[in-house]
Amino acid sequence: LSQLMMDLAYSAVFFKNREIATEVMLLYERLEELEERLYLHLFAASRGKIMKKLISVIDLVESSKTVATAARNLSELVIEGKELHPVIKHALQDSDEVVGRCTVSKKSQLNNKTIGEVRIRSTTGSDVIAIRRGSEHEGKKWIFDPQKNTMIYQDDILICIGPSASCNKLRELAETV
């Protein structure tokens, strides 16, 4: 969940998209609820057992929370309409992974197929982390963290993450007419 949040936060920053940033904030609340439930289970399970065995699980939770907090902080910048410092923008643009965006055309080989059917990850090397579906007239719907059985339709906007060449390959598949 924290990795998805970070990917979405980068997307929100790159595209200056408050809707995606707001979703990160909602996911942060969900992560906090999960964290609380996990700690309750850990403490219940620790009765009569050696706590050292549970420390690694607690460390994992704390690491995930650190990543989630960073994602939340990035998203807050977008929601508040603040600009990133040019040095930070440049560093994000120079990273090994980029965030891409493409629209599925009517004749695309992705149209009316599932993510699993077209094997996006193995075919392109990029991951679709979100899909915006719908139009101004119908209302827009976001699908975050789509799974292999998620359908792709004409006019869907795919948000992907991966190496630049991989995102470009997905764009070519989506926009080919």
Side-chain angles (χ1 to χ4, degrees):
L1 186 60
S2 61
Q3 179 61 49
L4 171 64
M5 290 173 64
M6 187 55 77
D7 291 344
L8 291 174
Y10 283 143
S11 300
V13 168
F14 283 135
F15 301 121
K16 295 182 181 179
N17 188 306
R18 286 187 174 150
E19 194 174 5
I20 293 174
T22 300
E23 186 65 27
V24 172
M25 304 302 277
L26 294 172
L27 288 171
Y28 187 83
E29 290 174 14
R30 181 173 165 210
L31 185 118
E32 284 186 318
E33 291 168 10
L34 291 172
E35 176 188 32
E36 184 177 324
R37 287 192 357 223
L38 179 66
Y39 280 137
L40 289 174
H41 287 294
L42 284 174
F43 294 138
S46 69
R47 280 188 241 141
K49 296 184 181 176
I50 301 171
M51 279 299 286
K52 287 184 179 181
K53 292 182 178 181
L54 300 176
I55 289 175
S56 62
V57 176
I58 292 170
D59 287 343
L60 179 63
V61 171
E62 289 302 314
S63 296
S64 294
K65 183 77 177 267
T66 300
V67 171
T69 300
R72 183 194 65 189
N73 292 343
L74 277 174
S75 296
E76 283 177 342
L77 293 174
V78 175
I79 290 169
E80 294 170 2
K82 294 181 179 177
E83 284 290 321
L84 288 179
H85 189 280
V87 171
I88 295 173
K89 275 186 176 178
H90 186 68
L92 288 173
Q93 291 169 345
D94 284 349
S95 74
D96 292 340
E97 287 197 330
V98 298
V99 177
R101 178 181 181 162
C102 56
T103 304
V104 178
S105 71
K106 183 177 183 175
K107 295 187 179 182
S108 168
Q109 58 185 294
L110 304 178
N111 190 20
N112 293 318
K113 301 264 177 39
T114 66
I115 289 174
E117 280 180 283
V118 292
R119 299 176 47 199
I120 287 178
R121 175 74 172 132
S122 59
T123 303
T124 68
S126 64
D127 289 310
V128 176
I129 60 168
I131 300 172
R132 188 177 77 186
R133 181 164 292 153
S135 66
E136 297 293 332
H137 305 293
E138 302 168 355
K140 296 176 187 169
K141 173 186 174 187
W142 281 97
I143 301 167
F144 295 103
D145 197 21
Q147 303 299 305
K148 65 181 181 181
N149 61 345
T150 302
M151 291 293 293
I152 300 172
Y153 298 110
Q154 176 185 343
D155 298 327
D156 278 356
I157 296 173
L158 308 179
I159 307 291
C160 66
I161 192 162
S164 182
S166 298
C167 290
N168 287 337
K169 190 169 185 179
L170 178 60
R171 185 177 297 107
E172 288 172 13
L173 287 174
E175 297 175 353
T176 301
V177 287

